[in-house]
Amino acid sequence: MDYNIILKIALVGILVSILNIILKQTGREELAFFTSLAGLLLVLFWLLPYITDLFTTIERLFGILN
C-alpha cells in the first residue's frame, strides 16, 4: 500500500476538522455537516480501488471464483 494515500487521508481529515470548527462557531451547522460528508465521500472514492482489490484477494484465497 502506498504511503501517499495515508498522507492524503490525514490531510483531508485535518482540513475537514478545521472547517467544521470554523463553520460551527459561525452558526453554520448545515455547511459543517456537508463538509464532513464531502470529506468522507472523497476518502471513500480514493479507497475504492484498494477495497475492490481486497475483495478480489479474499475471493481468490477461499477459491470462490474457481
Side-chain angles (χ1 to χ4, degrees), residues 18-32:
I18 291 171
L19 282 173
N20 276 339
I21 291 170
I22 292 171
L23 289 171
K24 283 185 180 183
Q25 285 181 354
T26 58
R28 297 181 176 162
E29 286 83 12
E30 296 87 12
L31 286 177

Side-chain angles (χ1 to χ4, degrees):
M1 186 170 182
D2 191 19
Y3 293 110
N4 196 15
I5 190 79
I6 296 171
L7 294 176
K8 284 182 184 179
I9 292 170
L11 181 64
V12 168
I14 292 169
L15 289 176
V16 166
S17 298
I18 291 171
L19 282 173
N20 276 339
I21 291 170
I22 292 171
L23 289 171
K24 283 185 180 183
Q25 285 181 354
T26 58
R28 297 181 176 162
E29 286 83 12
E30 296 87 12
L31 286 177
F33 171 74
F34 286 123
T35 304
S36 298
L37 185 63
L40 176 68
L41 290 176
L42 180 65
V43 169
L44 283 177
F45 281 124
W46 283 343
L47 290 178
L48 192 61
Y50 297 105
I51 293 170
T52 56
D53 187 36
L54 174 68
F55 283 124
T56 304
T57 304
I58 290 172
E59 285 176 348
R60 273 193 237 135
L61 179 66
F62 290 113
I64 296 173
L65 290 177
N66 283 335

